[in-house]
Amino acid sequence: MFLAALSFAYFAKALSGSYMKSTITQLERRFDISSYLIGIIDGSFEVGNLLVIVFVSYFGAKLHRPKIIAIGCILMSFGTFLIAMPHFIIGRYKIETSVRSSLNSTNSLSPCQVSSPESIRAGDRPSILPSKGCVRESSVSMWIYVFLGNVLRGIGETPVQPLGISYIDDYAQSENAALYIGCVQTISIIGPVFGYLLGSLCAKIYVDIGYVDMETVTITPGDARWVGAWWLGYLITGTITLMSAVPFWFLAKSLPIPVDKHNTSCTPEQTRFIKDSPTMEHKFRPEEPANLHQMVKEFLPALKSLLGNPVYIIYLCVTIIQFNSLIGMVTYKPKYIEQHYGQSASKANFLMGTINIPAVALGMFSGGVIMKKYKLGIMGAAKFAFGTSLLGYFLSLFFFAMGCDNSNVAGITVSYTGVDNLPHQERSLFSDCNSECLCSGREWDPVCGENGITYVSPCLAGCTSSSGSGRNTVFDNCRCVAAANTQPGNLTVSLGQCPRGDSCEKIFPYFLALSVLSSFIISLGGTPGYVLLIRLIKPELKSLALGIHTLATRTLAGIPAPIYFGAVIDTTCLKWGYKLCGGRGSCRIYNTAAYRIVYLGLVLGLRTVSFFFCIFGFAILKRHIKREEKCALTNGNAEMESLRKEEDSSTHCEQFVLALDCSPDRETRL
């Protein structure tokens, strides 16, 4: 029952966590913030963990673990509801567009408003957006609620992992513990499947659905300005998380200890790595009554004993670096698919949920089965985890070859005459073909020309007339289209960016296949690597060790990784959006080649560093094992000799007792 309840809690927290990842681009666009700032919001979850993880892990192990987990689930649900709250406070989402939905097909709108030479010389290029629409919105600070809600989610999630896993390991048969942990970890991977699918569904629904007439919305889900109903998913995941708290209130504080764990404080493997501190007496098992004063007194010796284990320290270093790579990759992978391969946010989330995450789940479960079947010890588990990680690393190198060219955007990636690879110093949104128009260089209202080139706005395309309304608007007589055409043709543009080339569409399936394969291979080592951590630790220190491990990975990986990944990705932005009242907003288009290099380079560079720590860790592990085996052999010979002498003495004593009627006390002492 506890395994089922913990699996549901893992599912709920993974569901809300993955949904948070799936809404990265939606939050960027809704609150007009950069990837760097969205990284801070994403890392706030780990800040919540950091506040309470050590105390919950250590003191929680002495208290009623199921009820503490239940309290955590309730806090998680409240935090999730808080994230959704800004939608009900903030105003309606405003789209920067040249299209006026009120116009019917018989009216004509001229994006290019002819200017006088004096205004051009004065640099007067006003935005076509009405200035009266500039009202200071509370959205400037609304993302703070998302930040605080994520912090609360982090606090609530804290007890689930260390207390739940240690509870299973304490009361499960030793040979079944790895399989049970593998099952829980697998269920926690199923959560992201539904999280990303929910993100895909909500990304298709317009943010203000039910409040606006969808006929007046002129953009599609593939547009860089589209914002889905991000708030809806948080209401759903918050409700599910609240439900996961219910079973834990009815579970016992402790269970009967399995027969194979009676009168044993640790396994032979565990005694090799962590020695008892001379000032530390392990008086408490989780099922004994708690004494707060005694627990506080034992805390520092326990911490000293734990951090004095070199193998545990190396393990921490490896996992911190690996988690930096993993968290950075997962956080921005949907965004990478969107920007690099031209997919919508909905499709990117759908592919993550249906293809990538199931491969990870299968890999983690298979790793647990392999661990149980082949009865891998500490060294076997370490070698297996290292081998799968190394193989996945080599496969990931092929991602560098699966790149797409930049979109053809006039004045940004190509010139207005259609010349590719435009140097940075020659980039300019203004050209002779639109020099007579009063165009703003800040707006992003892309249109696609018949020549396959995207223009930042109808005005910058030099269009002088339009027909139709809403999504069916077509702009005519576009002089910049004529400038790029080598042959006379249609001088019209339609709403939205031009689609990617056929070569990019052909590469994308291979990218998905390699992504699935590498994810499966890397995740094979997930469960053995996690069990390796548990087997290194004495039972009394297990919860503390898991808590310190979680604290270190959350603090040094979970918090900084999304921030510096986001900051580096921001450097590849080619065109920033601007808020209605001024100030930089979210990025509209990236340099895909630079994005690929910095994103994949960071991911694989961090893994490279971790492998050097692995080699050092193997050397320490082997030295410890050889030394302990030698000591065990020496002690074993001494014990055999001692037992032989005791047997001889016992036989002599029995004869002596029969002959001299030795006292029972003397016989007992012998």
Side-chain angles (χ1 to χ4, degrees), residues 17-29 35 38 42 192-193 195-197 199-200 203 221-222 325-354 356-357 500 508 511-512 515 565 569 590 592 595 599-600 603:
S18 58
Y19 182 76
M20 178 75 189
K21 301 288 187 186
S22 74
T23 58
I24 288 294
T25 53
Q26 311 295 314
L27 295 174
E28 280 186 21
R29 297 167 185 173
S35 296
I38 206 70
D42 188 70
V193 173
Y196 279 104
L197 289 178
S200 174
S325 174
L326 176 66
I327 292 170
M329 180 193 70
V330 172
T331 300
Y332 293 103
K333 190 168 187 177
K335 185 182 178 76
Y336 179 77
I337 294 174
E338 291 176 49
Q339 297 295 333
H340 202 78
Y341 297 101
Q343 306 296 325
S344 67
S346 176
K347 186 173 181 180
N349 290 328
F350 179 79
L351 292 172
M352 284 286 290
T354 57
N356 223 125
I357 304 299
R500 297 269 179 169
F508 187 55
F511 167 81
L512 290 178
S515 178
F565 264 81
I569 289 171
Y590 291 88
T592 54
Y595 194 146
Y599 173 72
L600 296 177
V603 170

Side-chain angles (χ1 to χ4, degrees), residues 198-260:
L198 181 61
S200 174
L201 175 63
C202 293
K204 285 183 179 179
I205 304 172
Y206 188 63
V207 60
D208 291 323
I209 186 72
Y211 295 97
V212 298
D213 181 6
M214 292 303 297
E215 293 296 325
T216 65
V217 179
T218 59
I219 58 176
T220 62
D223 196 288
R225 296 162 293 172
W226 176 272
V227 176
W230 59 274
W231 51 274
L232 181 60
Y234 286 111
L235 297 181
I236 295 172
T237 56
T239 303
I240 293 175
T241 307
L242 188 61
M243 292 169 56
S244 69
V246 176
F248 290 103
W249 291 106
F250 304 99
L251 288 168
K253 179 182 178 182
S254 61
L255 299 175
I257 300 177
V259 176
D260 63 344

Side-chain angles (χ1 to χ4, degrees), residues 15 111 148 154 163 168 255 293 341 361 376 406 446 461 464 518 532 543 546 551 576 618 659:
L15 177 71
L148 294 177
L163 300 189
I168 288 177
L255 299 175
H293 176 73
Y341 297 101
L376 297 179
N406 285 319
T464 57
S518 60
L532 173 65
S543 290
L546 290 170
L551 169 68
W576 288 96
F618 274 120

Side-chain angles (χ1 to χ4, degrees), residues 29-201:
R29 297 167 185 173
R30 184 63 186 95
F31 299 107
D32 267 326
I33 53 180
S34 64
S35 296
Y36 168 77
L37 193 52
I38 206 70
I40 293 177
I41 293 175
D42 188 70
S44 64
F45 177 85
E46 320 301 346
V47 173
N49 268 265
L50 173 63
L51 296 175
V52 295
I53 182 67
V54 173
F55 302 101
V56 168
S57 300
Y58 184 73
F59 296 112
K62 314 296 183 180
L63 304 174
H64 199 301
R65 283 182 280 188
K67 287 188 177 179
I68 293 178
I69 294 174
I71 294 172
C73 291
I74 294 174
L75 289 177
M76 271 197 294
S77 67
F78 288 170
T80 308
F81 291 139
L82 182 60
I83 293 175
M85 193 177 71
H87 172 74
F88 302 98
I89 301 175
I90 201 172
R92 300 287 167 255
Y93 178 55
K94 295 181 178 64
I95 306 168
E96 49 177 337
T97 179
S98 303
V99 181
R100 296 177 184 174
S101 58
S102 60
L103 295 175
N104 57 41
S105 59
T106 61
N107 292 339
S108 178
L109 169 69
S110 176
C112 176
Q113 300 178 12
V114 179
S115 60
S116 63
E118 291 77 11
S119 65
I120 296 174
R121 283 192 296 270
D124 182 20
R125 297 185 181 276
S127 171
I128 62 173
L129 289 170
S131 58
K132 65 181 181 180
C134 177
V135 178
R136 287 288 172 183
E137 296 180 344
S138 59
S139 61
V140 176
S141 57
M142 278 293 107
W143 62 267
I144 294 294
Y145 288 96
V146 181
F147 178 90
L148 294 177
N150 217 24
V151 170
L152 191 58
R153 277 188 58 244
I155 294 174
E157 192 265 355
T158 304
V160 177
Q161 180 177 339
L163 300 189
I165 295 298
S166 63
Y167 192 94
I168 288 177
D169 199 65
D170 283 340
Y171 301 117
Q173 297 286 346
S174 297
E175 65 270 16
N176 294 330
L179 181 62
Y180 290 161
I181 293 172
C183 289
V184 171
Q185 299 284 11
T186 302
I187 295 296
S188 71
I189 296 297
I190 295 176
V193 173
F194 289 93
Y196 279 104
L197 289 178
L198 181 61
S200 174
L201 175 63

Side-chain angles (χ1 to χ4, degrees), residues 515-569:
S515 178
V516 169
L517 181 60
S518 60
S519 297
F520 172 77
I521 291 175
I522 292 173
S523 60
L524 272 174
T527 300
Y530 200 77
V531 172
L532 173 65
L533 169 62
I534 297 175
R535 295 288 168 83
L536 290 172
I537 309 302
K538 291 176 71 69
E540 295 83 358
L541 300 175
K542 202 174 301 174
S543 290
L544 180 62
L546 290 170
I548 293 292
H549 174 260
T550 304
L551 169 68
T553 53
R554 295 280 171 83
T555 307
L556 302 177
I559 294 175
I563 297 174
Y564 67 76
F565 264 81
V568 171
I569 289 171

